[in-house]
Amino acid sequence: MPGVADGLRILDFTWFGVGPITTKYLADNGAEVIKVESVKHPDGLRMVGPYAGRQPGLNRSQYFANFNSSKKSIRIDMTTEQGRELVRQLVPQCDVVAESFRAGTMAKWGLGYDQLRDLRPDIIYLATCLQGQTGPKARYAGFGMQLAAIAGFYHLSGYSEDEPAPPHGP
């Protein structure tokens, strides 16, 4: 049975949680996902346990392996023009670019939505930064637990006689 994302090619600059999980679902349903990782700063999820054989290491994280299965992978030094040029060559062959950097990071590299649209007019640009692309907090980095707090989720969870608790417990 064909996957719902068959024929879709995604250039994946996401890291840690929500972005890699989102692109994994697409990969598991037929999309070709090319995960781009920094040469100098690999995905931080690589250093989150549990680890294979209980030994930490870049290629031993169960979370990284799970969130990035079904994907292809490439390491690129985005701080160099050569690295950014390689991305510019890949973009016209992709349908989607997904990223989870702070707002403005891709644009700083000359790879923001407007620049990518020049390379492929129908490109879909998916940004999963925590606090949006514009506004007073757009440049703040963040992770899921911070968003849960900002959204008031912790106020709504837990037992009435206890302090609020994150979704996975106190």
Side-chain angles (χ1 to χ4, degrees):
M1 184 168 147
V4 295
D6 280 354
L8 192 65
R9 182 176 287 149
I10 301 167
L11 198 54
D12 180 5
F13 290 90
T14 65
W15 55 292
F16 272 104
V18 71
I21 292 170
T22 301
T23 56
K24 174 193 170 36
Y25 290 149
L26 293 167
D28 287 348
N29 283 284
E32 178 184 9
V33 178
I34 305 165
K35 180 171 178 63
V36 179
E37 254 185 292
S38 168
V39 169
K40 295 179 181 175
H41 302 285
D43 188 334
L45 194 58
R46 287 181 173 276
M47 297 311 295
V48 175
Y51 302 104
R54 297 185 179 166
Q55 297 294 320
L58 280 177
N59 293 313
R60 302 185 68 84
S61 168
Q62 177 270 326
Y63 282 116
F64 181 84
N66 183 37
F67 292 177
N68 292 287
S69 63
S70 306
K71 299 178 186 180
K72 296 179 178 180
S73 183
I74 186 171
R75 289 178 24 173
I76 299 176
D77 186 347
M78 298 298 294
T79 65
T80 68
E81 183 52 38
Q82 182 181 14
R84 294 186 297 269
E85 181 55 33
L86 179 57
V87 171
R88 287 185 198 100
Q89 291 173 25
L90 289 170
V91 167
Q93 303 169 48
C94 296
D95 304 293
V96 178
V97 171
E99 58 98 348
S100 56
F101 300 117
R102 288 183 196 161
T105 299
M106 292 288 282
K108 177 184 73 175
W109 291 330
L111 299 168
Y113 174 66
D114 291 333
Q115 293 92 355
L116 297 182
R117 200 174 57 195
D118 289 342
L119 300 171
R120 177 156 180 167
D122 63 343
I123 195 76
I124 296 169
Y125 190 89
L126 169 66
T128 67
C129 59
L130 183 70
Q131 297 198 45
Q133 293 291 308
T134 61
K137 297 182 180 175
R139 301 251 185 229
Y140 294 175
F143 296 93
M145 292 181 75
Q146 291 166 307
L147 181 58
I150 292 166
F153 184 79
Y154 294 161
H155 179 73
L156 300 173
S157 63
Y159 297 103
S160 59
E161 65 274 7
D162 292 331
E163 292 292 317
H168 53 74

